Amino acid sequence: MTKTNPGNFFEDFTVGQRIVHATPRTVTEGDRAVYGSLYPTRFAVPSSATFAASVGLDPHPVEELVAFHIAFGKTVPDISLNAVANLGYAECRFHQPVVPGDTLSTTSEVIGLKQNSNGRSGVVYVRSTATNQRGEVALEWARWVMVHKRDVDAPAPETVVPELAPAVAAADLVLPSGLDFSGYDFAAAGEPHRFDDYEVGEKIDHVDGVTLTDSEHQQATRLWQNTAKVHFNVEARPDGNRLIYGGHVISMARALSFNGLANAQLVAAINAGAHTSPAFAGDTVYAWSEVLDKAETTHPSVGALRLRLVATKGRDESMTLRGEDGKYAAGVLLDLDYWAFIPR
């Protein structure tokens, strides 16, 4: 017998299985500072307590993706420690701002299983919920991940692929309590563009690029207590490369999107997301966005933009998502569909 935990393999999961993930994590001001040192983020609400208070958010929240990474990291030892790759996200909603001092705990339910045709791995679908120290839901999401099998001869489970909504309905977005952009300071925020300045179908080249490094990626992944082997151990992949954590690419692209979307202050929901190609140290990440939809909210000063955020390896000034064959264009690393709150 052994006291160590090798993590779950594909055949260890069953549909309906509920998992309580270990190690609740308290959010601190240190998380905000380190996040800012890793990503070129400049959004005014998480950067300035004074600005946040001026739009009704006091105490001062951290970026939504800080909460996402922390909550996601809790699931890794049980869901994706033996992952080949994380594949995608859906139905992610941020229910309330997370502030330093909040303690996040995460639970998951297995909602689908599908063995791959090669018999050596399979896709596990889970729905995860993070709650704070008061038992209130902070965020929830679904994701699917490809996981190795322990025994290639283990029988395949019945295939269950859950039906996931293509997008969170605008009416289901949760407006943070007290949020009011009536007195919004556009000069302090960095750009003049508001809700009415964006048109559906518009594309925005965010121009700047950042080269990924192993040291920063591993620091970030450790910060979120994400223990997936492929991110740290060169023996975990046949090519001997450490795979960049997909969330690292998401945060990098979101930070780069400030140039052109500085007033898309708060991520309200992630409708869908796909890590379309692996990223490794030495890759230079650029980003562009497309406006997919616009919606009113329950507060007249706050609008919602549905945005496609695309991260690429190398800059693509043509901003091409897919080729004529329908497949993702060469160099596309991330295709993320999300809602953001913006002043009207």
Side-chain angles (χ1 to χ4, degrees), residues 9 11 115 119-120 148-155:
F9 291 84
E11 60 264 43
Q115 181 166 300
R120 296 192 295 269
H148 287 291
K149 291 184 70 175
R150 178 191 295 106
D151 177 6
V152 296
D153 295 322

Side-chain angles (χ1 to χ4, degrees), residues 80-100:
S80 49
L81 188 65
N82 296 305
V84 180
N86 190 57
L87 300 177
Y89 313 92
E91 298 182 357
C92 174
R93 287 197 303 162
F94 296 88
H95 286 253
Q96 57 185 298
V98 171
V99 302

Side-chain angles (χ1 to χ4, degrees), residues 236-299:
R237 286 174 52 92
D239 61 10
N241 288 319
R242 284 177 286 249
L243 181 69
I244 298 292
Y245 164 47
H248 191 65
V249 177
I250 292 175
S251 279
M252 192 65 74
R254 165 68 177 164
L256 292 172
S257 75
F258 177 90
N259 191 351
L261 284 167
N263 296 317
Q265 287 285 353
L266 303 168
V267 177
I270 296 174
N271 299 306
H275 298 290
T276 59
S277 295
F280 302 99
D283 291 347
T284 299
V285 174
Y286 290 81
W288 57 269
S289 294
E290 180 183 3
V291 181
L292 299 177
D293 200 1
K294 300 172 66 174
E296 298 180 353
T297 72
T298 54
H299 197 284

Side-chain angles (χ1 to χ4, degrees), residues 64 93-98 102 132 134 136-139 174 176:
E64 293 79 14
R93 287 197 303 162
F94 296 88
H95 286 253
Q96 57 185 298
V98 171
D102 281 349
N132 62 23
R134 296 179 295 276
E136 302 161 339
V137 175
L139 64 149
V174 182

